């Protein structure tokens, strides 16, 4: 049977480069980087070389890199740090957007319970926000702006450099959740005025459970956990060296191929978009071009997303209805609602996220498979019958 993995926004297959980079640290170089003997020093040297690799890729200094257990932890620590620094100066207001990842939104929820005030900006129906809207939301007591670099569901790429410039001018810390962008889009933290940035290895063909928090020098990190002196005491616990080595290798290789893969993916993405647009009463989610090279997100009227996914899986296509965290719950995705999609439409969503291993032939197969499954589900749907008979009005019009 066919097997097409089109859920690369949820996680990616590890690359051979990353696996090969990890093996020596699973099998031979097992020392603890904190140990003073030779085995420990060999591990410590490797750790620092990985730190330099990550720093080079982000345009920062090695000492500005902290290794974490992934994107969620980096998001938590970045936001907690800015909140803690702000609170010391009586600044307890944070600006963010309604369509952030839950690692950001739920951290902000927790801070609200602790007395912070949060302004969540609405995104436009194309999944974008404007830097001017961020500027207008900043108040004298704002301690942090946190806006994601690229959205994990609808794939839109936000104007990060412009938002960074606004924040720098206003003297407000700027964090970006760059988990979907890292390894896929160019990032330069200095040129883009980014103070804090989160990334995660498993979104760019590295291992799971490892990520980076970049914090501009001079920003003292607030601990989430307490323990030994690892990561300058700011992220204690013996380093997961094999994973860190895999991440550094995966990041370096992703950046080495960034342009070539980006143009190849953009072509496949656009082919898939054009193909799926042929399906009646379908709607692309997110801006057509200001989106991740491998992201395609659609709503289909009269369809239930879960059934769509299961039937696609039967045809060998592994897709998602939104974020992996939301699927399995009956609530429609907060991202699609933030784009202003009505509930009944947000339920019929499909996200196909490609990788550099996706082929044109696979894209064509997916177009056919989605069209067939949508057709079938509509043929057995009472909602679709009501729409056809005019008892109910279409939300998505045909172009
Ligand atoms: C995957 C993801 C995260 C979480 O990263 P983990 O390493 O899985 O904790 C955070 N933000 C975005 C945008 C993501 O896509």
């Amino acid at each position: 049977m066919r097997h097409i993995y089109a859920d690369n926004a949820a996680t990616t297959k590890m690359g051979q480069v990353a696996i090969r980079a990890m093996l020596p640290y699973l099998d031979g170089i097992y020392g603890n980087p904190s140990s003073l003997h030779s085995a420990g020093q060999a591990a410590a040297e490797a750790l620092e070389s990985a730190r330099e690799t990550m720093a080079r890729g982000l345009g920062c200094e090695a000492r500005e890199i902290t290794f974490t257990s992934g994107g969620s932890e980096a998001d938590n620590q970045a936001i907690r740090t800015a909140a803690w620094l702000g609170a010391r100066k009586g600044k307890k207001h944070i600006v963010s957007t309604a369509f952030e990842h839950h690692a950001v939104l739920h951290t902000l929820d927790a801070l609200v319970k602790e007395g912070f005030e949060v302004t969540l900006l609405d995104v436009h129906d194309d999944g974008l926000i404007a830097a001017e809207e961020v500027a207008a939301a900043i108040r004298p007591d704002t301690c942090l702006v946190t806006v994601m670099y690229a959205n994990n569901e609808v794939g839109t790429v936000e104007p990060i450099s412009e938002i960074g410039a606004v924040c720098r001018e206003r003297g407000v810390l700027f964090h970006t959740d760059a988990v979907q962008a890292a390894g896929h889009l160019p990032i330069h933290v200095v040129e883009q005025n980014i103070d804090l940035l989160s990334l995660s290895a498993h979104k760019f063909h590295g291992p799971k459970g490892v990520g980076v928090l970049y914090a501009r020098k001079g920003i003292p990190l607030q601990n989430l956990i307490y323990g030994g002196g690892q990561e300058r005491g700011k992220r204690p616990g013996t380093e997961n060296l094999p994973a860190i080595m895999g991440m550094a290798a995966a990041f370096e290789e992703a950046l080495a191929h960034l342009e070539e893969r980006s143009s190849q993916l953009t072509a496949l993405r656009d082919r898939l978009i054009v193909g799926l647009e042929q399906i009646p009463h379908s709607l692309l989610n997110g801006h057509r071009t200001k989106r991740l090279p491998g992201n395609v997100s659609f709503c289909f009227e009269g369809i239930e997303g879960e059934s769509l996914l299961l039937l696609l899986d039967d045809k060998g296509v592994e897709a998602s209805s939104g974020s992996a965290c939301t699927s399995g719950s009956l609530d429609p995705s907060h991202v699609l609602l933030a784009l202003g999609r009505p509930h009944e439409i947000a339920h019929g969503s499909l996200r196909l996220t490609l990788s550099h291993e996706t082929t044109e032939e696979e894209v064509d197969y997916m177009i056919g498979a989605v069209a067939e499954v949508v057709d079938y589900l509509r043929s057995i749907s009472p909602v679709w019958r009501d729409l056809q008979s005019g008892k109910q009005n279409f939300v998505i019009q045909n172009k």
Side-chain angles (χ1 to χ4, degrees):
M1 200 188 80
R2 292 205 65 114
H3 174 82
I4 302 175
Y5 183 73
D7 200 10
N8 286 280
T11 198
T12 55
K13 180 172 107 177
M14 268 187 57
Q16 286 304 314
V17 171
I19 293 172
R20 277 200 304 274
M22 290 176 75
L23 286 176
Y25 300 89
L26 292 166
D27 202 17
I29 310 168
Y30 52 79
N32 184 326
S34 298
S35 299
L36 292 177
H37 47 63
S38 311
Q41 287 319 293
E45 266 172 43
L47 181 67
E48 292 321 305
S49 78
R51 199 184 305 282
E52 276 161 25
T53 301
M54 297 311 293
R56 252 196 322 278
L58 293 172
C60 67
E61 293 174 28
R63 62 180 163 142
E64 297 173 308
I65 298 289
T66 300
F67 293 118
T68 69
S69 67
S72 298
E73 184 187 339
D75 282 342
N76 274 256
Q77 192 166 16
I79 293 168
R80 285 270 168 201
T81 291
W84 170 67
L85 291 170
R88 294 199 308 193
K89 296 188 218 145
K91 295 181 170 190
K92 299 183 77 172
H93 175 243
I94 297 171
V95 175
S96 188
T97 77
F99 83 155
E100 297 295 312
H101 190 272
H102 282 140
V104 168
L105 287 179
H106 290 167
T107 303
L108 295 176
D109 287 346
L111 287 171
V112 167
K113 293 203 183 93
E114 294 166 29
F116 284 80
E117 209 186 315
V118 173
T119 301
L120 289 185
L121 297 170
D122 278 326
V123 290
H124 295 252
D125 61 2
D126 62 1
L128 294 171
I129 61 156
E132 301 82 67
E133 290 159 343
V134 173
I138 294 176
R139 314 190 311 211
D141 63 339
T142 304
C143 61
L144 171 70
V145 167
T146 172
V147 174
M148 69 202 315
Y149 205 122
N151 184 270
N152 46 303
E153 282 185 45
V154 295
T156 46
V157 179
E158 302 303 320
I160 291 306
S161 302
E162 286 88 334
I163 297 171
V166 162
C167 294
R168 190 55 57 86
E169 191 191 311
R170 304 285 290 273
V172 175
L173 286 179
F174 175 43
H175 166 251
T176 186
D177 173 339
V179 174
Q180 289 291 329
H184 303 281
L185 299 172
I187 299 176
H188 196 291
V189 290
V190 175
E191 283 169 12
Q192 295 179 289
N193 289 309
I194 297 166
D195 297 308
L196 297 149
L197 176 143
S198 317
L199 62 77
S200 177
H202 76 98
K203 302 291 175 71
F204 52 81
H205 305 280
K208 292 163 182 58
V210 65
V212 156
L213 169 56
Y214 152 79
R216 186 168 52 78
K217 54 182 172 288
I219 300 176
L221 289 181
Q222 164 76 310
N223 284 54
L224 294 182
I225 51 174
Y226 296 88
Q230 294 91 350
E231 301 300 290
R232 301 169 315 287
K234 299 304 182 184
R235 207 292 182 176
T238 303
E239 300 86 349
N240 185 354
L241 192 58
I244 290 169
M245 300 311 286
M247 168 169 63
F251 197 46
E252 200 169 35
E253 115 108 0
L255 296 184
H257 297 280
L258 191 115
E259 276 177 42
E260 132 213 351
R261 286 180 185 171
S262 172
S263 52
Q264 171 197 336
L265 271 174
T266 302
L268 290 177
R269 174 197 77 190
D270 292 346
R271 185 181 180 94
L272 186 51
I273 290 175
V274 170
L276 295 181
E277 273 174 345
Q278 305 307 312
I279 297 174
H281 302 282
S282 64
L283 184 62
L284 175 70
N285 296 313
H287 194 277
R288 200 177 176 97
T289 54
K290 291 177 183 166
R291 62 190 305 123
L292 287 164
N295 175 292
V296 173
S297 168
F298 265 85
C299 281
F300 301 104
E301 183 133 25
I303 294 289
E304 213 263 289
E306 308 284 295
S307 331
L308 180 57
L309 290 189
L310 294 176
L311 292 177
L312 279 178
D313 193 36
D314 286 345
K315 289 183 179 291
V317 178
E318 287 164 331
S320 160
S321 62
S323 78
C325 329
T326 348
S327 35
S329 88
L330 283 175
D331 293 335
S333 126
H334 71 285
V335 172
L336 294 174
L337 296 180
L339 263 64
R341 300 280 186 260
H343 276 249
E344 62 270 33
I345 296 306
H347 272 301
S349 63
L350 174 70
R351 180 186 73 183
L352 297 163
T353 42
L354 318 178
S355 86
H356 59 273
E357 294 191 349
T358 310
T359 65
E360 195 172 278
E361 196 261 326
E362 286 178 333
V363 164
D364 292 344
Y365 178 84
M366 287 193 278
I367 295 170
V370 174
E372 266 176 47
V373 171
V374 167
D375 237 22
Y376 168 71
L377 286 173
R378 283 176 173 168
S379 75
I380 59 167
S381 154
V383 174
W384 187 251
R385 202 179 314 131
D386 287 351
L387 288 164
Q388 291 287 310
S389 69
K391 225 194 245 176
Q392 213 175 304
N393 291 325
F394 281 105
V395 177
I396 305 174
Q397 305 305 328
N398 274 331
K399 273 148 242 108

